[in-house]
Amino acid sequence: MSERPPFFTLIDGGEVWTPDPIGVASVLAAGESIVAIGDVDRRAIEATGLDYQIIDARGAIVCPGFIDPHEHIIGGAGEEGFGTRTSEVTAEELVRSGVTSVVGLLGTDTITRHLTSILAKTRQLEAAGLSAWMYTGGFPVPTPTITGSITGDLVIVDKVIGVGEIAIADERAAEPTVQELARLVSEALVGGRVGGKAGVTHFHTGPSARYLSILHRLLDEYDIPPQYIYATHITRSQGLMDDAIALAKRGAWVDIDTVDDNLEDWVPYYFEHGGPEGRLTMSSDAHTADGTVEKLRANVVRCVRDVGMPLDRVLSLVSRNTAEVLGLHRKGSITTGMDADLLVLDRRTLDIVHVVARGRAMIGMGQPVHGVEAEAEDTG
């Protein structure tokens, strides 16, 4: 378990992006929460007699910790035999990539990997100082659950915030009917409302030329509010991306995973072709054969440095937008009352210098602090 954070944490004198730019300011956290942004008197902190830490951010960028909404945190792959199974993610991998909040899920393998294992992993990551949640379900419909129903999981299991990833347009799962999907999405919606969760349904989109047609039919034929639909893997083709933009215009959410090596082309394409500003997120799809957590951070950097996209627009894809679709009301923004999930980035390279998660220093001067390294060793 990571060490208890000091009562006060001061991120001093950085260029703050909330993710919107607000200029040079200090950010003060008390325990796990942000309590002040602006000019902060160090002497007043010292005078309280409480323990504190000061992180010098002068000349650097301060931004929200990244939220990864799609990770196989207990491992994935295995579709080419048992030798291709991948390992669990560690807290060190996450914080080295700037991820302070993560959502775990099952994919193709709902036989040898289990929802209860994902639940245990979310609790382990929380004990290490991060924030973690999960989706119930997996590729097939009907989909596996913990309590016996999607609604039950959302109401009873604290870490379950939605259902996914449900496969569409993919040979690895029988194509569900529109009626089956309507029932599934409704169960998630009701469970979310009763349990105070997002209640979204997260859809894996395969390579079929049917694209997202079944989701459009779902909105056409049933009274499903579009904000409860969240589709990922939308960069498989231009036709799929165009269909995803059309779905987002209807009020649904769409996600670009960073397994695609041409991400710096697809993100600008989305916006240049009318994709709604607030309906796109970015995820890692780790730990699959091709997906690593580091790719999420690397693609944020590529979009800003190589493509020249505005930093606030790119940061929103891994912070504010993600927090909104997942109903994480204390995440995704540097605002008073929010969780103290903060990154300090080198202004020139955007390399990670410091990571603070829920008020705990996880990375200091580019290196894991004591406790994060220990967690990585324990899970190795």
Side-chain angles (χ1 to χ4, degrees), residues 91-92 96 362 367-379:
E92 181 176 353
R96 279 190 178 276
M362 308 292 279
Q367 297 300 318
V369 301
H370 176 72
V372 179
E373 289 175 313
E375 186 274 345
E377 292 168 3
D378 289 345
T379 61

Side-chain angles (χ1 to χ4, degrees), residues 15-359:
E15 181 184 316
V16 177
W17 296 68
T18 67
D20 300 318
I22 63 170
V24 174
S26 294
V27 181
L28 178 66
E32 297 188 3
S33 301
I34 297 170
V35 295
I37 302 167
D39 293 327
V40 178
D41 187 348
R42 290 194 189 193
R43 290 172 297 181
I45 297 174
E46 295 168 357
T48 65
L50 299 169
D51 56 329
Y52 65 91
Q53 63 181 340
I54 295 177
I55 296 174
D56 186 356
R58 289 173 295 179
I61 288 171
V62 180
C63 68
F66 298 162
I67 305 170
D68 191 347
H70 183 115
E71 268 205 45
H72 300 273
I73 59 176
I74 61 169
E79 294 182 38
E80 296 181 15
F82 291 115
T84 64
R85 288 167 63 90
T86 58
S87 60
E88 293 188 2
V89 72
T90 67
E92 181 176 353
E93 289 177 89
L94 292 168
V95 296
R96 279 190 178 276
S97 301
V99 173
T100 56
S101 299
V102 63
V103 181
L105 74 171
L106 289 179
T108 316
D109 185 1
T110 58
I111 303 300
T112 69
R113 299 187 189 273
H114 308 286
L115 292 169
T116 50
S117 298
I118 296 181
L119 178 60
K121 185 65 181 183
T122 64
R123 299 202 190 287
Q124 181 193 39
L125 293 173
E126 288 266 353
L130 299 172
S131 297
W133 294 270
M134 63 178 287
Y135 293 113
T136 190
F139 265 35
V141 176
T143 202
T145 62
I146 296 173
T147 66
S149 75
I150 292 169
T151 303
D153 285 6
L154 276 152
V155 174
I156 301 300
V157 184
D158 60 335
K159 290 297 176 185
V160 174
I161 60 173
V163 59
E165 56 178 319
I166 304 298
I168 59 173
D170 197 301
E171 65 180 8
R172 290 171 291 177
E175 186 75 358
T177 66
V178 178
Q179 185 178 18
E180 286 175 321
L181 286 191
R183 183 179 298 111
L184 184 151
V185 173
S186 295
E187 289 177 10
L189 183 158
V190 171
R193 289 181 178 176
V194 175
K197 315 282 186 60
V200 295
T201 301
H202 191 49
F203 288 98
H204 161 102
T205 310
S208 168
R210 292 188 298 274
Y211 303 144
L212 302 170
S213 58
I214 195 168
L215 301 185
H216 286 286
R217 287 185 58 197
L218 185 64
L219 295 179
D220 291 338
E221 299 174 19
Y222 292 87
D223 294 325
I224 300 293
Q227 66 267 26
Y228 288 94
I229 293 174
Y230 187 21
T232 190
H233 308 319
I234 63 171
T235 62
R236 298 186 191 275
S237 67
Q238 182 176 323
L240 176 55
M241 174 59 79
D242 290 340
D243 204 17
I245 292 171
L247 189 69
K249 287 180 176 179
R250 301 185 69 172
W253 296 88
V254 294
D255 176 73
I256 291 177
D257 71 85
T258 55
V259 172
D260 195 320
D261 290 329
N262 296 320
L263 194 75
E264 70 273 21
D265 297 326
W266 287 117
V267 177
Y269 183 97
Y270 173 89
F271 291 112
E272 290 165 3
H273 289 77
E277 191 80 26
R279 291 286 153 181
L280 179 67
T281 68
M282 190 185 296
S283 66
S284 72
D285 197 19
H287 260 196
T288 56
D290 300 316
T292 63
V293 188
E294 167 57 22
K295 279 191 172 182
L296 184 63
R297 187 204 67 83
N299 278 290
V300 168
V301 174
R302 284 163 64 186
C303 285
V304 175
R305 295 186 60 204
D306 298 346
V307 181
M309 293 185 64
L311 179 59
D312 55 340
R313 171 176 276 182
V314 179
L315 287 176
S316 294
L317 306 183
V318 290
S319 58
R320 180 167 54 206
N321 292 3
T322 318
E324 185 175 349
V325 63
L326 298 176
L328 305 178
H329 305 300
R330 291 178 56 87
K331 303 292 184 182
S333 179
I334 300 178
T335 310
T336 55
M338 304 292 273
D339 285 349
D341 296 336
L342 303 160
L343 307 183
V344 178
L345 309 178
D346 182 284
R347 197 178 190 285
R348 183 179 59 85
T349 64
L350 300 183
D351 287 344
I352 292 172
V353 183
H354 296 277
V355 176
V356 174
R358 290 163 44 207

